[in-house]
Each structure stands twice: as structure tokens, then as C-alpha cells.
């Protein structure tokens, strides 16, 4: 049992905004108080929310930016205890033991922290539901739930406190839906089942859920400071002055740390990142994640920490050392026999990582096919070593497409038929498209043309198809675009896709 | 299985052999496939390249319209077989087109914007990958010679696509492309004819071949 204080700023990404939602992968991940009172809920699709609240503002999902803005809150909490664990933007935890005694009891501590956080500039005018909430309970998970109700759960009564919570407090949607179909509706129901039976039926996920529900620490090992020899010190010679490169150094250090841990069968759920500069300045922060950390997680958190540090203006020189200390470890799940990148030749890996060291993690990318109507949307660039996921999926099912090679493409109504253009302009390039009279080719609202297309940038047109109207995102004034597209073959042997947008012609793609 | 010397012979054979003997011809392989010093390319391209593949340790320049598609086809067989290729300085590649050309996407690293580190990046990549395709850069002769020496030493292939290479390449491929299928206001792209002229230091007389896709 470890009394934990949770400090939660509800809906961090949208707090203070009137009606706004954060959308990630087409689903709402956070909604402001105004948006919720108008009916917006987490998990809704973007369009559902837009039809519900037409004038809603949609905020980009950007954890790094949110973490930077969360920095003052962390600083305020650090006035109470030096060991703050940041979970995600808007949520941090720390151990209640010392601070509660020093500040005159747990109740007292809760009020002091809430007042300190809400006294920060810009937080006074917040909607009451978005004020800072603080809770204390016996486990990290329960303390976050306690924070939602602004309560201090007395020591040893966490299980009773949790009993009334619905299953979605587990934060494990597949298991929740399974358990609810089996007739369980609250954490109390789950906690009453014998642990052995739950593990036998649901494995590790069941074990974790049962521990959460019964108010037992969900970690598998007793919390202890990991042996010091597991920490990794990454020296940068010469000092690095570029955020990208520090992030990459942290990723390499994370790789080293996690492979060292996995050799002894451990995984890391809390890591302490210590950055040191040439001038001896230090920045130390503890980061917690709900599951085992990946090298990418470590790199991401280092970037957040560094950017926060730069923002505070307390850093005056390049970073010389990145130290990762696995603060808390659990029994790790074994990765596959060969790992994900195991089949890549070690020489290739080293070369690519060397280039990443020069240019940052996104310096070396792999292409992934993504859904989308415009050619530029059909490619997602993914940094080497990160999961190969497209930015937008296609609709379910897929169609076969003919080419030199059969390609399965996610279906997307309205996109160009194959062959696919080989060169796609990320920013459309302005071109001139002439009609036979030598003037600009004009196309009316009803798609009648001022003449046949004659030349593009002075090169004769040999064949053309179209024009097709492309009226996208008409429901969103900011992103709406009404264009007319044409496919042309040119005398120099290429084919181009050109689009007319507000009276100007642009080249969108080339079949080179 | 019979082997003939030189692919030009094979192309010539194909033209003179009567239809009734075409079956036999499929048993004939270019002698170059016996060589280990080649990066294998797909069959249609093998006919267009003087030795039936990309000679390791050499620089190849590809210019003209259709070069992107040609370069993608060049690495399709390689990446399919688990080899690695990289594009450096090409900002506009598209994943569907890469797939369509038969490229295994998880075997192609793309450095879209190497910035000032261009030579360092190419140098690091040719040391480990099989084929590196560069475009969108202007190099000094000394830098180009340095890279060519590095390629020779490591036995990889450096392909320069549509850029002026300040020193002469071992193999120069000039492309001419034409699309058909589009009429006046109707139709869709369906066929591309590519003519490839190969010349260079090691090719005594320029060889021209045609490819229909």
C-alpha cells in the first residue's frame, strides 16, 4: 500500500475554451465543459460532434504542446514535494507520505494543492468543473479516480471506494466490454471474484484489472527503487544544442535501458530523466506511464522535459548527458523471439540510426499507404523505428487495383483511379494552363471550359480528361475547398494532375 | 538451362526467333545472372540494362521523363528479396506508386530533406544499403568523386536521378516516356511507352531498348 496523491486538471487540452473538442484519429479524446453540456462526449466521431454543435472549435491533438503548457502546474506541485511523477498532460501523482505529515494532514494537503494550482495565472476564470481536482487513495489508479470526486479515501478503505465505480474506470475497453457481457457491472463485482479464477480465465489483463478493482497496487513487483546499476548514462560528445538530436540520444539511451531491463525480464513503468548541460545545469523529472515504456515513449518524454526546460529559460548551453534511471520496474512481458526490428541487418540499422542522429528521428522515414482522396493524403511518412500506421485508414474492405503489380488499396470514394502518380506535390505548385487562344483556361461553375487545354507552362497538351469537380469539407469553412481537377498528358512525355482553385491553376501530382 | 553472353544478344534473339521456338527462348537466361556482382532487377528492366542488372560498386545516372517510376522499378526486385534501398533528397514520393511499382515499402528508407548533411547522409547510406537513389542536390566534383569511391569500396550502387552529376557515371540511362490513353476530354492513363538509351564508360555503343507498361 502506498498512499498516493493525484492532481488532475480535467480536460487539460481544452480547459478555458468555450466549446471545443480535441480530436485524434477522428475520435473525440477530450471535450470542454461547454461542449459537454451541448452533448459532446469522448469517443464520438468528428462528424457526430460537428452535426451536434456546428460552431465547435476543434483543437489539434498535440501532447508536446499540452505538456509545455502543463509545465507551470508541475512547478506549482513541486513546491510541495520534489518527487512528482507526470503521467500525461493534466495528470500528475506523488507519494502522500512525507508531504501530508509536513503540511498538517491529508485533507489539508488536498486543499493547499488545489488552491496553489488554481491560483496560477489564467485559471481563476475556469468553469467550476475544470478547476484542479486532488484526491488521495491507496493506489495510483484509485487516487486518480478519487481526484475526480475531490475526495480523500481513508487508508485501507480504497476497495470500498472503488466498489461503486463502473467498469470503464479500468481504462481497458476490450476487457470492459467482455466483463460487462458476462454480467459484471462494477469494479466491486470484479473484486469479489476469486483472483485465481480471474487470472486463469483472463490472463495478465485480468490480473491487472482485479488488482485495480481490489485496491491492490496494480504493479507486479513491490514498489522498490530499481538497482542503481540498471540506469543508463548517455554522454553526448560534443554537447548537443538541437532538440531533435537530444530526443534521438534519449531514444538510443532508452533502447539501451530497455534491452538491459528485458535481459533480466523486467519492464519499466516509471523513469527518471536527468538532463545535464555543459554549464552544469540540471533538469530532473520523473515520468510514469500506464503500461511498460517503449524507447519511443522515453524519447517523447525527454523532448517534453527539454522543451519545458527551454521555455523556462534556465538552460544556457548544450546538453552533455542524458541519464535514464528506471525508477520503478515490473515483470516485463517477453517480446517476440526476434523483436520487431530483429530481421533488419545490423549494418543497415546502424546506418539509418546514424542518419537519424544527424537529422532527428523524422530524418529517416518509411512510407505507409494511407486512405485519402487527394494524392498527397495517400502517403503517410513514419519515422524509422516507429509503428507503421497510416494517418487515416480506408473504409473497411479493400479493392484490388491493377498496375504492374496488384495493389490492395484502402477504398476511398472519389479518389483517382490507378496508375498512381509517382511524384506528389506536398504544397501544390502554381502553373499556367492555357487554352488555344493563349489566355488562361477558365472553367465555369457548370464545368464548361473556355476552350480545350492547350499548354501547361508552355508545354503542349497531348491529351486530357476531366474536368472533375472536387468539393471537399464543405461543412467546415476553414478547411473547405472547391476545386476542379484535370488530368493531362504533355508533349514531354509526362502526365500531370492540375487543379483550379479560386481562379488559379496548381499542379498537384506528376506521373513521372 | 542455357546461358547467353550479354543481354543485347538476348534482345536480338527475341527478334529473330520464330514464334514456334519462343518456348525454347524462355529457357535461355542472360549470362549476367551467373555473375554475383549484380543487383537483380525485374525481368522487364533486365532487358534494358547492358548487363542485365545494376553492377555493384558503380554509379548510375538516370535522366529524362519517367525517371521516378524507372528508379522504383529498379529497386522492386531487390526490396522484394529483402535488400535495402534509400531515396535521398526526394520530397515528393508517393506510397501507392511505390507499391504499384512492386517496391516493398518496409525496405525503403527515405531521407526527404538531408539539408546541409547531404554528402554525409549519402556516405553513411551507401556504406550499408544496397542501392541509394539521390536527387535534388548539386554537388562539387570532389564530393561526387568521394561518393563514387565510397560506392566502389562498399560494393553498393549509387543512382543519381535527374540531377547533374559533376563527374561521369559508369552507366548513363536516358529515358523518353510517352503516355497514351487520354483523348480529348475522355479516357484514362493506361499505357506508358518508355525508351531507354544506355551509354557510359563501360558500354562501347549506346544500346536503346523499349519498354511498354
Amino acid at each position: 500500500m502506498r498512499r498516493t496523491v493525484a492532481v488532475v486538471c480535467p480536460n487539460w487540452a481544452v480547459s478555458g475554451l468555450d466549446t471545443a473538442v480535441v480530436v485524434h484519429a477522428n475520435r473525440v479524446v477530450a471535450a470542454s465543459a461547454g461542449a459537454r453540456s451541448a452533448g459532446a462526449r469522448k469517443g464520438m466521431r468528428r462528424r457526430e460532434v460537428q452535426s451536434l454543435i456546428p460552431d465547435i472549435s476543434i483543437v489539434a491533438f498535440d501532447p508536446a504542446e499540452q505538456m509545455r503548457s502543463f509545465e507551470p502546474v508541475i512547478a506549482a506541485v513541486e513546491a510541495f514535494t520534489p518527487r512528482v511523477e507526470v503521467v500525461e498532460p493534466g495528470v500528475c501523482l506523488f507519494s502522500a507520505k512525507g508531504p501530508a505529515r509536513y503540511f498538517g494532514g491529508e485533507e489539508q494537503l488536498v486543499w493547499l494543492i488545489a488552491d496553489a494550482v488554481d491560483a496560477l495565472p489564467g485559471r481563476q476564470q475556469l468553469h467550476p468543473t475544470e478547476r484542479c481536482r486532488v484526491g488521495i487513495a491507496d493506489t495510483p489508479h484509485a487516487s486518480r479516480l478519487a481526484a475526480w470526486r475531490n475526495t480523500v479515501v481513508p487508508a485501507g478503505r480504497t476497495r470500498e471506494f472503488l466498489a461503486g465505480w463502473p467498469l470503464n474506470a479500468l481504462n481497458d475497453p476490450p476487457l470492459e466490454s467482455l466483463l460487462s457481457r458476462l454480467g459484471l457491472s462494477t469494479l466491486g463485482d470484479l473484486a469479489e471474484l476469486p483472483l485465481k479464477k480471474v487470472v486463469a480465465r483472463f490472463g495478465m489483463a485480468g490480473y491487472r484489472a482485479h488488482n485495480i478493482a481490489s485496491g491492490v497496487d496494480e504493479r507486479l513487483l513491490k514498489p522498490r527503487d530499481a538497482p542503481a546499476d540498471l540506469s543508463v548514462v548517455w554522454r553526448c560528445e560534443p554537447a548537443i544544442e538541437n532538440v531533435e538530436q537530444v530526443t534521438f540520444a534519449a531514444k538510443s539511451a532508452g533502447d539501451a535501458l530497455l534491452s538491459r531491463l528485458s535481459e533480466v525480464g523486467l519492464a519499466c513503468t516509471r523513469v527518471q530523466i536527468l538532463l545535464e548541460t555543459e554549464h552544469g545545469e540540471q533538469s530532473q523529472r520523473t515520468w510514469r506511464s500506464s503500461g511498460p515504456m517503449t524507447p519511443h515513449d522515453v524519447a517523447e518524454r525527454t523532448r517534453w522535459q527539454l522543451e519545458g526546460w527551454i521555455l523556462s529559460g534556465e538552460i544556457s548551453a548544450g546538453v552533455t548527458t542524458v541519464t535514464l534511471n528506471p525508477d520503478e520496474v515490473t515483470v516485463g512481458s517477453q517480446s517476440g523471439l526476434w523483436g520487431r526490428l530483429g530481421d533488419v541487418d545490423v549494418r543497415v540499422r546502424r546506418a539509418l540510426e546514424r542518419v537519424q542522429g544527424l537529422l532527428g528521428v523524422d530524418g529517416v522515414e518509411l512510407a505507409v499507404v494511407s486512405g485519402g482522396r487527394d494524392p498527397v493524403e495517400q502517403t503517410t511518412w513514419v519515422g524509422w523505428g516507429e509503428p507503421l500506421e497510416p494517418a487515416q485508414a480506408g473504409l473497411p474492405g479493400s479493392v484490388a487495383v491493377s498496375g504492374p503489380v496488384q495493389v490492395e488499396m484502402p477504398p476511398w470514394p472519389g479518389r483517382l483511379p490507378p496508375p498512381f502518380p509517382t511524384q506528389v506535390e506536398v504544397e501544390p505548385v502554381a502553373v499556367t494552363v492555357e487554352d488555344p487562344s493563349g489566355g488562361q483556361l477558365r472553367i465555369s461553375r457548370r464545368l464548361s471550359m473556355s476552350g480545350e487545354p492547350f499548354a501547361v507552362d508552355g508545354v503542349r497538351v497531348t491529351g486530357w480528361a476531366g474536368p472533375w469537380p472536387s468539393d471537399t469539407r464543405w461543412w467546415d469553412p476553414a478547411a473547405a475547398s472547391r476545386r476542379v481537377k484535370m488530368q493531362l498528358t504533355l508533349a514531354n512525355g509526362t502526365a500531370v494532375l492540375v487543379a483550379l482553385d479560386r481562379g488559379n491553376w496548381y499542379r498537384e501530382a506528376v506521373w513521372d | 538451362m542455357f546461358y547467353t553472353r550479354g543481354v543485347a544478344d538476348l534482345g536480338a534473339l527475341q527478334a529473330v526467333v520464330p514464334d514456334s521456338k519462343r518456348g525454347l527462348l524462355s529457357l535461355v537466361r542472360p549470362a549476367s545472372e551467373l555473375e554475383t556482382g549484380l543487383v537483380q532487377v525485374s525481368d522487364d528492366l533486365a532487358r534494358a540494362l547492358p548487363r542485365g542488372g545494376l553492377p555493384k560498386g558503380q554509379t548510375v545516372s538516370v535522366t529524362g521523363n519517367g525517371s521516378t517510376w524507372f528508379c522504383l522499378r529498379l529497386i522492386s526486385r531487390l526490396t522484394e528479396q529483402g535488400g535495402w534501398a534509400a531515396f535521398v533528397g526526394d520530397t515528393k514520393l508517393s506510397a501507392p506508386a511505390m507499391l504499384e511499382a512492386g517496391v516493398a515499402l518496409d525496405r525503403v528508407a527515405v531521407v526527404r530533406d538531408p539539408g546541409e548533411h547531404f554528402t554525409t547522409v549519402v556516405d553513411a547510406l551507401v556504406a550499408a544499403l544496397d542501392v541509394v537513389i539521390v536527387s535534388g542536390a548539386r554537388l562539387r566534383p570532389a564530393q561526387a568523386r568521394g561518393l563514387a569511391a565510397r560506392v566502389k569500396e562498399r560494393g553498393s550502387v549509387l543512382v543519381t536521378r535527374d540531377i547533374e552529376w559533376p563527374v561521369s557515371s559508369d552507366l548513363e540511362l536516358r529515358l523518353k516516356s510517352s503516355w497514351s490513353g487520354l483523348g480529348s476530354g475522355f479516357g484514362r492513363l493506361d499505357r506508358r511507352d518508355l525508351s531507354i538509351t544506355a551509354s557510359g564508360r563501360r558500354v562501347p555503343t549506346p544500346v536503346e531498348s523499349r519498354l511498354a507498361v
Side-chain angles (χ1 to χ4, degrees):
Chain A
M1 186 184 81
R2 196 178 60 136
R3 299 290 284 169
T4 308
V5 185
V7 182
V8 176
C9 297
N11 299 318
W12 178 255
V14 285
S15 66
L17 298 175
D18 191 20
T19 49
V21 288
V22 181
V23 174
H24 179 50
N26 210 25
R27 298 273 174 182
V28 172
V29 292
S32 71
R36 262 175 298 131
S37 62
R41 291 287 176 272
K42 267 191 200 177
M44 272 186 177
R45 297 168 72 115
R46 179 200 290 257
R47 259 193 217 181
E48 255 177 287
V49 176
Q50 281 169 330
S51 66
L52 209 61
I53 318 165
D55 60 340
I56 194 150
S57 50
I58 290 182
V59 180
F61 177 75
D62 180 1
E65 173 54 38
Q66 290 161 25
M67 194 45 89
R68 273 196 293 278
S69 59
F70 191 54
E71 205 58 34
V73 176
I74 303 173
V77 178
E78 271 175 343
F80 293 88
T81 171
R83 286 182 60 113
V84 179
E85 306 162 15
V86 186
V87 183
E88 59 189 51
V91 180
C92 58
L93 308 176
F94 61 90
S95 163
K97 206 169 140 200
R101 203 177 306 155
Y102 186 84
F103 289 100
E106 291 180 340
E107 292 280 350
Q108 187 72 13
L109 180 66
V110 164
W111 288 114
L112 282 174
I113 292 175
D115 287 347
V117 171
D118 281 334
L120 288 172
R123 289 193 59 83
Q124 282 90 352
Q125 309 84 1
L126 283 185
H127 191 271
T129 59
E130 287 178 347
R131 292 270 168 82
C132 173
R133 303 178 185 198
V134 184
I136 302 183
D138 290 344
T139 66
H141 199 98
S143 70
R144 280 182 71 171
L145 296 176
W148 279 101
R149 294 201 182 152
N150 260 326
T151 39
V152 174
V153 180
R157 311 257 317 259
T158 297
R159 186 173 166 157
E160 288 160 51
F161 166 75
L162 289 171
W165 284 83
L167 284 175
N168 60 18
L170 286 174
N171 219 352
D172 182 354
L175 188 67
E176 282 157 28
S177 99
L178 182 56
L179 292 178
S180 67
R181 273 177 286 147
L182 292 173
L184 304 178
S185 61
T186 62
L187 294 186
D189 296 343
L190 177 60
E192 272 170 30
L193 298 176
L195 175 62
K196 273 190 185 168
K197 294 263 161 85
V198 175
V199 176
R201 175 70 180 77
F202 301 107
M204 288 313 283
Y207 184 84
R208 179 180 159 268
H210 193 274
N211 277 351
I212 290 176
S214 32
V216 179
D217 219 309
E218 64 260 36
R219 284 175 313 259
L220 302 175
L221 287 186
K222 288 278 162 266
R224 62 178 168 116
D225 286 341
D229 61 339
L230 283 177
S231 63
V232 167
V233 182
W234 201 263
R235 280 180 218 291
C236 313
E237 190 73 41
I240 308 178
E241 295 184 348
N242 175 324
V243 176
E244 291 299 331
Q245 292 180 6
V246 175
T247 310
F248 182 72
K251 185 166 169 286
S252 314
D255 267 327
L257 172 76
L258 297 175
S259 64
R260 197 182 287 185
L261 283 175
S262 72
E263 270 169 26
V264 288
L266 296 175
C268 176
T269 52
R270 198 171 72 177
V271 68
Q272 209 175 49
I273 302 174
L274 174 69
L275 302 173
E276 231 173 310
T277 69
E278 244 174 337
H279 293 175
E281 296 138 328
Q282 290 192 340
S283 154
Q284 182 178 340
R285 176 138 297 157
T286 309
W287 299 91
R288 166 190 285 277
S289 76
S290 44
M293 289 214 178
T294 64
H296 183 242
D297 290 339
V298 174
E300 197 83 315
R301 278 152 183 80
T302 310
R303 176 203 291 271
W304 297 347
Q305 180 171 340
L306 186 64
E307 285 181 346
W309 200 17
I310 292 171
L311 205 68
S312 73
E314 287 161 11
I315 175 170
S316 66
V319 174
T320 53
T321 20
V322 178
T323 309
L324 302 180
N325 186 15
D327 209 25
E328 189 180 277
V329 289
T330 71
V331 174
S333 61
Q334 299 277 330
S335 59
L337 200 48
W338 288 282
R340 205 169 58 77
L341 297 174
D343 59 336
V344 176
D345 181 53
V346 76
R347 270 200 319 164
V348 172
R349 213 154 84 187
R350 248 183 238 145
L352 297 181
E353 281 168 5
R354 168 138 184 259
V355 176
Q356 277 186 320
L358 276 174
L359 306 173
V361 178
D362 291 334
V364 180
E365 293 165 309
L366 301 186
V368 182
V369 173
S370 152
R373 194 165 290 115
D374 289 335
V376 68
E377 292 173 340
Q378 290 168 359
T379 307
T380 301
W381 294 101
V382 178
W384 155 255
E386 284 170 41
L388 297 174
E389 281 165 9
Q392 31 189 10
L395 303 175
S398 56
V399 270
V401 149
S402 68
V405 172
Q406 289 281 313
V407 178
E408 296 271 308
M409 273 289 287
W412 200 283
R415 72 168 154 69
L416 278 173
F420 297 99
T422 47
Q423 294 266 307
V424 172
E425 307 288 350
V426 180
E427 288 293 325
V429 178
V431 290
T432 58
V433 179
E434 293 165 27
D435 60 13
S437 72
Q440 197 200 41
L441 177 68
R442 289 182 314 277
I443 294 179
S444 75
R445 248 169 202 284
R446 292 186 172 265
L447 301 181
S448 71
M449 300 190 290
S450 60
E452 291 199 355
F454 180 74
V456 177
D457 279 346
V459 183
R460 277 292 304 268
V461 171
T462 55
W464 52 278
W468 309 288
S470 156
D471 195 359
T472 54
R473 298 186 195 277
W474 41 264
W475 59 88
D476 179 356
S481 89
R482 211 188 118 80
R483 285 168 297 174
V484 177
K485 297 191 178 189
M486 292 189 82
Q487 196 178 38
L488 311 170
T489 50
L490 304 180
N492 66 8
T494 54
V496 292
L497 178 71
V498 290
L500 179 66
D501 187 1
R502 295 190 196 92
N504 297 313
W505 284 99
Y506 296 95
R507 184 176 70 219
E508 292 198 332
V510 182
W511 283 261
D512 179 35
Chain B
M1 183 83 73
F2 308 95
Y3 287 95
T4 74
R5 292 198 64 78
V7 185
D9 303 353
L10 191 63
L13 264 178
Q14 227 144 12
V16 297
V17 169
D19 280 351
S20 54
K21 303 274 169 63
R22 283 278 157 89
L24 263 181
L25 201 63
S26 64
L27 293 174
V28 181
R29 286 277 174 278
S32 54
E33 274 187 25
L34 280 175
E35 300 179 40
T36 47
L38 283 182
V39 171
Q40 298 291 319
V41 298
S42 56
D43 294 337
D44 52 342
L45 259 63
R47 272 177 234 130
L49 296 175
R51 287 172 63 197
L54 287 173
K56 288 184 183 170
Q58 298 200 354
T59 52
V60 179
S61 84
V62 179
T63 49
N65 286 321
S67 60
T68 311
W69 189 85
F70 186 81
C71 287
L72 290 175
R73 286 298 282 164
L74 271 184
I75 58 170
S76 62
R77 172 72 60 89
L78 168 78
T79 56
E80 229 171 49
Q81 293 173 344
W84 272 88
F87 279 87
V88 180
D90 202 327
T91 52
K92 306 175 193 169
L93 287 171
S94 105
M98 289 166 86
L99 265 192
E100 204 176 42
V103 173
L105 291 182
D106 56 350
R107 283 284 189 263
V108 181
V110 181
V111 180
R112 288 194 287 170
D113 182 17
E116 52 184 317
H117 300 294
F118 187 88
T119 32
T120 325
V121 168
V122 176
D123 190 76
L125 293 178
V126 293
L129 277 60
D130 303 291
V131 176
V132 178
I133 299 164
V134 300
S135 48
R138 193 169 264 281
L139 292 189
R140 288 195 302 276
Q143 291 173 313
R145 270 195 292 272
L147 287 180
R150 181 76 160 163
V151 167
K152 196 164 193 178
E153 173 202 336
R154 306 307 299 234
S156 46
V157 180
L158 179 67
V159 179
T160 61
R161 185 182 78 75
D162 254 350
I163 51 176
E164 241 176 76
W165 196 241
V167 294
S168 68
S169 307
D170 297 305
L171 176 63
E172 285 170 19
L173 301 171
R174 272 189 298 279
L175 310 179
K176 268 199 201 106
S177 125
S178 72
W179 279 100
S180 49
L182 283 192
S184 300
F186 57 87
R188 56 188 261 191
L189 293 178
D190 66 355
R191 183 190 155 97
R192 138 181 268 171
D193 292 293
L194 212 55
S195 96
I196 303 154
T197 314
S199 59
R201 282 200 299 222
R202 286 152 211 266
V203 188
T205 45
V207 182
E208 191 179 338
S209 46
R210 290 179 175 283
L211 204 65
V213 188

